[in-house]
Amino acid sequence: MNEELQTLVAEGRIAEALARVRLAGEGPREALEALERIRLALRMRDAEGARAAAEAGRQALAELIDVEELERALADLAEERFEDWLAHPVVGAEAWVQKGLLDVAEGRLEDARDAFAEAARRDRQHWRALTNLGNAELELGNLDAAEAAYAEAVKANENYPEVYQGMAALEKRRGRIDRMVRLLKKAQKMRLRPREEQVPGAVLPPRRARAGALFSWRNRWWIWIALILLAYWWTRR
């Protein structure tokens, strides 16, 4: 692996490194893809999925990082022991999210805001970090900053329910009750989706028609067909 890729990995810029390897057509693509699968699982708070991805890609990952150290980090994060991993290039963003959540629980909102901002800096696609950053800014009264953070969270993952919950709270603070209600409905609808449909780029399966939907008053086309047939029968009498 060349020095440039080593630097990108050391800085946690995994997606950028992977994009360059794919474009060049050579390099540790398998290892970088494994790292991205691990980070996706961490963004989803799927500790078991992150460890499974690390195990599946163990051989390839050895080209890039200390695999045993990564496994210790993932085990610690699963138990919310984040302190030793804040600087780790792969799991550091999730460690900062966990620190921010602890800061929130203990009433240190400004520290929490800074922690979530650092997490988002380390992983620009970490939609939970961005959503929590928006929540912290909102609690601190920084409405424009909250709106910007929520917008970035939606770009990272438009299927994440909690970001719309935060946006609804922002609209309530601004007195836009109609928008608040729409966002709350959207958040609730998304929470009903299976977990695999709450990831970036997920495509919803076609909705199944409910029993009786064919004859519901929303589907009035059948009434017109019945009337037309009735009129035709009447004129042929």
Side-chain angles (χ1 to χ4, degrees):
M1 184 170 62
N2 63 42
E3 185 176 343
E4 185 178 18
L5 284 179
Q6 286 178 331
T7 299
L8 290 175
V9 172
E11 293 177 353
R13 295 158 64 186
I14 311 299
E16 186 177 344
L18 178 57
R20 295 194 182 195
V21 166
R22 285 172 172 168
L23 184 62
E26 59 182 10
R29 175 170 177 168
E30 185 179 351
L32 291 168
E33 288 176 343
L35 289 180
E36 276 294 89
R37 287 192 293 273
I38 292 167
R39 296 223 295 183
L40 176 61
L42 289 173
R43 295 170 195 144
M44 296 175 65
R45 298 189 70 178
D46 182 4
E48 190 59 36
R51 283 184 284 191
E55 179 61 29
R58 204 174 199 281
Q59 185 173 353
L61 287 170
E63 297 181 54
L64 297 179
I65 59 172
D66 184 332
V67 179
E68 291 184 358
E69 181 184 64
L70 174 62
E71 290 172 341
R72 290 196 303 274
L74 292 174
D76 278 353
L77 290 180
E79 300 296 328
E80 298 185 355
R81 297 191 298 265
F82 59 82
E83 294 86 352
D84 293 338
W85 307 110
L86 295 169
H88 195 277
V90 180
V91 306
E94 180 60 23
W96 278 100
V97 169
Q98 291 191 8
K99 180 187 182 303
L101 293 173
L102 179 62
D103 288 334
V104 169
E106 296 182 351
R108 299 187 297 270
L109 278 180
E110 291 186 353
D111 289 344
R113 185 262 317 276
D114 294 343
F116 296 136
E118 178 62 18
R121 187 189 70 80
R122 288 173 171 271
D123 181 359
R124 297 174 185 173
Q125 299 303 307
H126 202 310
W127 60 83
R128 284 175 40 246
L130 290 161
T131 300
N132 283 314
L133 175 59
N135 294 343
E137 295 285 18
L138 182 60
E139 288 299 315
L140 290 167
N142 304 324
L143 304 191
D144 289 344
E147 183 177 29
Y150 291 141
E152 290 300 313
V154 171
K155 287 180 184 178
N157 184 4
E158 64 181 3
N159 298 322
Y160 183 50
E162 301 306 321
V163 66
Y164 298 104
Q165 184 81 32
M167 292 168 71
L170 174 62
E171 296 299 347
K172 180 181 179 181
R173 186 78 65 89
R174 287 175 164 168
R176 301 170 180 171
I177 303 303
D178 56 337
R179 295 187 186 182
M180 179 198 76
V181 171
R182 286 199 299 271
L183 288 163
L184 286 175
K185 288 181 178 179
K186 188 169 188 176
Q188 182 61 28
K189 181 179 178 181
M190 288 187 168
R191 285 196 185 96
L192 298 176
R193 296 179 179 179
R195 188 185 185 99
E196 62 270 18
E197 293 175 10
Q198 295 181 15
V199 297
V203 177
L204 286 178
R207 296 181 63 182
R208 295 180 179 177
R210 293 176 296 175
L214 178 62
F215 300 105
S216 71
W217 285 102
R218 293 185 177 181
N219 290 326
R220 294 187 177 90
W221 56 268
W222 64 270
I223 299 175
W224 291 107
I225 291 176
L227 290 173
I228 291 169
L229 290 174
L230 179 61
Y232 177 78
W233 172 81
W234 184 264
T235 59
R236 296 300 244 175
R237 289 181 61 192

